[in-house]
Amino acid sequence: MIKQHETDVVVVDPVSPDAAVIERAAELLRRGELVVFPTETVYGLGADAFQAAALEGIFAAKGRPLSDPLIVHVADDTMLENLTAALPDKARALARVFWPGPLTLIVPRGERVPHLATAGMETMAVRMPSHPVARALISALGSPVAAPSANRFMHVSPTTAAHVRADLGGRVPLILDGGPCSVGVESTILDLSAEVPTILRPGGVSLEALRTVLPDVRPPVKRASTSEETAQVAPGQLATHYAPTIPLLLFDGSEEAMRAAMLAELHQRLERGERVGVLLADADLEIFQTRLADAHKSQAFLASLGDAAHPAQVAARLFASLRALEETDVQVILCRNFAAHDLGLAVRDRLSHAAGGKIIQVS
Ligand code: TXA
Ligand code: MG
């Protein structure tokens, strides 16, 4: 059953959050309630990680299956050491460089962590976020906070408090509004329980950066299917996990080829009277605008995700841009792909999910 709430949205300073607001949020967590808080990646739907009943509330509010485990967030080294005695050396080495920050490590489960948080597995996901509001909240609770992204199950992760309210309004008592999240895609999940450290989900820390510490880190294995098998290897990493509510066609190829194919597709659909959203890069925008016939201007919603040479910028705008198109009446989204370097790997992953795993290769 889903608990009904009057949802309070409270604005907090993202750099030095008001102590009284944080204390109010921490008190809710102590009482087993849920609190939504900003992190540097996306907003999280938090509960006291040691209260199993509170964790149940997370799954209910999101509509998330219990087979999909949660990330446990810590604020400092002491909390981390208390959480798990058996931290691998590799985890310590990575933590020194990337924590606090957008990296989640799969390590042996701490004894006090309820099975509900780990979906019954003997490993757990742990992360030390860098966002001052997240850190202040976890510190005030004095205990780790379990938190998935604060969206309804299968929806795009929220990067603003307004996104959260749209998905979870009426289902949580408090949303801390710290403004837009700076990274904009979720943390990188690195499996350290495997023989070779393997990325399960590319995210805010790039493969290149991880390899400066662990040169043998393996990139994510392609997961184009939604088979049971895939679900067991990497729970929650199904191909359709990040689906927006509108079908998205993803084009991949050279800059020239992507533009040509997207312009042709756009033209055809507009001719048929469809309303179309188009996600581009800065350099494409003017070209598309000039190629659009006046008669079609009201049917097309063009937006840029940023400078294609700066994948971090594209990542930061991605989810908000997808959600913005959901607020229009477009019937389909045409989207270009981006190069795989740095945060581009995460961008490609989320776009591929949004496209249901199908990519239109053009040459
Ligand atoms: O940036 C983030 O990671 C955000 C913020 C709030 O920290 N959190 C987030 O959580 O994206 P969530 O629950 O939406 O995604 C966490 C993923 C899930 O897909 C889950 O399957 C995976 O982490 N996961 C959790 N524990 C795991 C484990 N023991 N082994 C493998 N995957 C695990
Ligand atoms: Mg999520």
Side-chain angles (χ1 to χ4, degrees):
M1 229 204 25
I2 300 157
K3 244 165 115 175
Q4 294 297 314
H5 290 278
E6 286 272 334
T7 301
D8 212 354
V9 182
V10 177
V11 174
V12 282
D13 187 315
V15 180
S16 46
D18 184 71
V21 174
I22 294 296
E23 183 43 41
R24 181 182 154 204
E27 184 51 30
L28 280 169
L29 293 178
R30 268 176 224 120
R31 291 206 307 255
E33 300 279 357
L34 307 179
V35 172
V36 174
F37 59 98
T39 82
E40 68 277 21
T41 56
V42 300
Y43 275 74
L45 171 61
D48 180 340
F50 293 149
Q51 294 187 44
L55 300 182
E56 267 178 52
I58 290 182
F59 290 96
K62 278 191 65 126
R64 172 160 162 153
L66 295 173
S67 56
D68 197 355
L70 306 173
I71 298 175
V72 177
H73 298 71
V74 296
D76 54 53
D77 288 340
T78 313
M79 213 179 267
L80 180 68
E81 299 298 334
N82 289 338
L83 186 63
T84 168
L87 212 59
D89 287 344
K90 286 175 181 175
R92 288 178 206 280
L94 290 163
R96 263 197 298 276
V97 177
F98 298 110
W99 280 357
L103 176 65
T104 294
L105 299 174
I106 305 298
V107 299
R109 184 179 71 89
E111 268 174 33
R112 285 185 67 195
V113 178
H115 289 287
L116 210 52
T118 66
M121 294 191 293
E122 281 313 312
T123 56
M124 67 173 183
V126 63
R127 158 165 128 81
M128 191 186 290
S130 64
H131 197 294
V133 174
R135 297 172 64 75
L137 178 62
I138 303 163
S139 295
L141 178 65
S143 185
V145 170
S149 50
N151 51 282
R152 290 275 190 104
F153 181 59
M154 297 289 275
H155 200 193
V156 182
S157 290
T159 56
T160 68
H163 297 162
V164 177
R165 203 223 282 264
D167 276 21
L168 300 179
R171 293 175 174 228
V172 293
L174 180 63
I175 299 171
L176 297 177
D177 179 356
C181 302
S182 59
V183 177
V185 290
E186 303 88 343
S187 61
T188 300
I189 302 180
L190 184 67
D191 188 358
L192 292 175
S193 72
E195 210 164 298
V196 181
T198 305
I199 293 179
L200 299 182
R201 177 181 74 184
V205 173
S206 71
L207 172 65
E208 295 92 326
L210 290 173
R211 282 184 171 162
T212 63
V213 177
L214 297 182
D216 61 340
V217 168
R218 252 210 302 248
V221 271
K222 271 228 158 50
R223 41 191 160 76
S225 79
T226 55
S227 71
E228 298 255 308
E229 205 181 5
T230 320
Q232 278 164 9
V233 176
Q237 301 296 302
L238 302 176
T240 54
H241 194 73
Y242 304 89
T245 51
I246 309 160
L248 182 145
L249 303 182
L250 179 59
F251 293 78
D252 197 18
S254 72
E255 298 280 317
E256 288 305 308
M258 278 192 292
R259 265 180 216 145
M262 288 175 73
L263 277 166
E265 182 77 28
L266 176 63
H267 183 76
Q268 263 186 30
R269 287 177 178 269
L270 294 174
E271 280 289 300
R272 290 205 299 261
E274 285 183 34
R275 292 175 305 280
V276 186
V278 190
L279 292 177
L280 302 160
D282 288 347
D284 309 316
L285 204 53
E286 219 186 284
I287 300 170
F288 274 65
Q289 268 155 355
T290 53
R291 293 285 294 273
L292 212 58
D294 280 339
H296 288 151
K297 288 224 158 97
S298 65
Q299 287 163 252
F301 293 77
L302 308 184
S304 173
L305 291 170
D307 181 350
H310 291 103
Q313 195 182 83
V314 175
R317 291 192 198 170
L318 181 61
F319 291 161
S321 301
L322 288 172
R323 281 189 182 248
L325 284 175
E326 289 178 2
E327 300 302 310
T328 71
D329 59 356
V330 302
Q331 295 152 297
V332 64
I333 300 170
L334 310 184
C335 181
R336 59 158 286 167
N337 217 342
F338 292 84
H341 63 90
D342 293 326
L343 262 65
L345 199 61
V347 168
R348 290 174 68 89
D349 174 78
R350 303 310 186 270
L351 285 176
S352 153
H353 281 92
K358 269 208 315 274
I359 298 173
I360 302 164
Q361 286 293 340
V362 290
S363 55

